[in-house]
Amino acid sequence: MTHVLAQRKYRFAAVLAIATARTFGLALVAAFIVLAVASAAIRAVQGGDSEMAYGVIQAIPVAMIAIGWLRLARAYPAAITNGMTRKEFLTGFALFGAATVLATAALTQLAVLALDLSPFQAEGVHVGFYGLTPLESAVIPILYFAVGTATGAVMLRFANRWVGAAVCAVLVSAVFYRQLAYYAAMNLFGLQSGGEDGTVFQYPMVDLYALLPYLDLVVALAFALFAWALLARAPMRPKQA
């Protein structure tokens, strides 16, 4: 019995991962394939350089927020009803998040490889788009899954839905506009990106885009800890049917 209970969090993570793969995963892969084929057909008939499949890669942040939010909102009441402890739930959900991030990063790299091997390569899309390198393709889902989990935790923690919705809007807006905060912090400390002389105010030049994955990891950790703290004190009662 003790062994069965010890394995419960792993089974819980596996169930969530399989359900997500069958829904969000299949939907994203199918959309990518359909758009890639449609783009190839359009280019063959009309010419041009259209590649709509990149839209699926660029939609990953929204998808990760939805996954984190919806899975948490549905799983928490069900898990509590079935007798899971907070610690078991949080550990299992963290494992599910790790599996989701790794799968998303792998699929992103496969998608980029498939498009790079195609006769048409959308060079303009690669330039300046954050999320296509191996490191970035992992950081992006980490960040946005953490945000989605945090917003789901907010809705579970606060009884007033309007208050919860307002806090969620602030969290999502903060992550989408986080680069403005990064620039403000750099200016505050006398650091700016893009200088051609190698120094700005006698500080080493800082390239924000080179630092972006690491800054985003710090932000993701903050969101994850915030969600963990909220769920550790969230009501244990299940939602009413």
Side-chain angles (χ1 to χ4, degrees), residues 91-223:
T91 301
F93 200 83
L95 292 172
F96 156 66
T100 302
V101 165
L102 291 175
T104 303
L107 289 174
T108 299
Q109 288 304 300
L110 288 175
V112 172
L113 178 61
L115 292 175
D116 284 346
L117 292 177
S118 67
F120 167 74
Q121 296 184 15
E123 298 289 345
V125 182
H126 284 273
V127 177
F129 177 66
Y130 172 56
L132 296 182
T133 70
L135 174 62
E136 294 167 353
S137 64
V139 173
I140 286 289
I142 289 174
L143 174 62
Y144 286 97
F145 183 86
V147 175
T149 302
T151 54
V154 166
M155 298 304 293
L156 288 170
R157 180 68 180 86
F158 295 102
N160 190 311
R161 291 187 175 274
W162 289 106
V163 173
V167 175
C168 290
V170 171
L171 295 179
V172 173
S173 298
V175 75
F176 274 112
Y177 293 100
R178 67 194 182 283
Q179 292 188 33
L180 297 178
Y182 294 161
Y183 275 117
M186 290 170 62
N187 289 331
L188 179 64
F189 290 101
L191 300 172
Q192 296 178 352
S193 64
E196 297 180 356
D197 58 353
T199 59
V200 178
F201 298 117
Q202 299 181 358
Y203 282 82
M205 183 182 67
V206 175
D207 183 355
L208 178 60
Y209 284 97
L211 290 178
L212 200 55
Y214 306 100
L215 294 174
D216 283 350
L217 282 175
V218 174
V219 175
L221 177 60
F223 276 113

Side-chain angles (χ1 to χ4, degrees), residues 24-40:
F24 287 92
L26 288 178
L28 289 174
V29 171
F32 179 85
I33 294 173
V34 169
L35 290 176
V37 172
S39 297

Side-chain angles (χ1 to χ4, degrees), residues 38-124:
S39 297
I42 292 173
R43 291 194 302 270
V45 174
Q46 300 180 354
D49 59 358
S50 172
E51 183 52 80
M52 297 181 291
Y54 276 106
V56 177
I57 299 176
Q58 293 171 321
I60 286 176
V62 176
M64 295 305 293
I65 290 177
I67 291 170
W69 186 335
L70 294 175
R71 291 304 178 203
L72 182 67
R74 294 177 180 178
Y76 184 83
I80 298 309
T81 300
N82 290 324
M84 289 189 72
T85 65
R86 286 188 176 98
K87 183 178 180 180
E88 283 181 311
F89 177 84
L90 293 172
T91 301
F93 200 83
L95 292 172
F96 156 66
T100 302
V101 165
L102 291 175
T104 303
L107 289 174
T108 299
Q109 288 304 300
L110 288 175
V112 172
L113 178 61
L115 292 175
D116 284 346
L117 292 177
S118 67
F120 167 74
Q121 296 184 15
E123 298 289 345

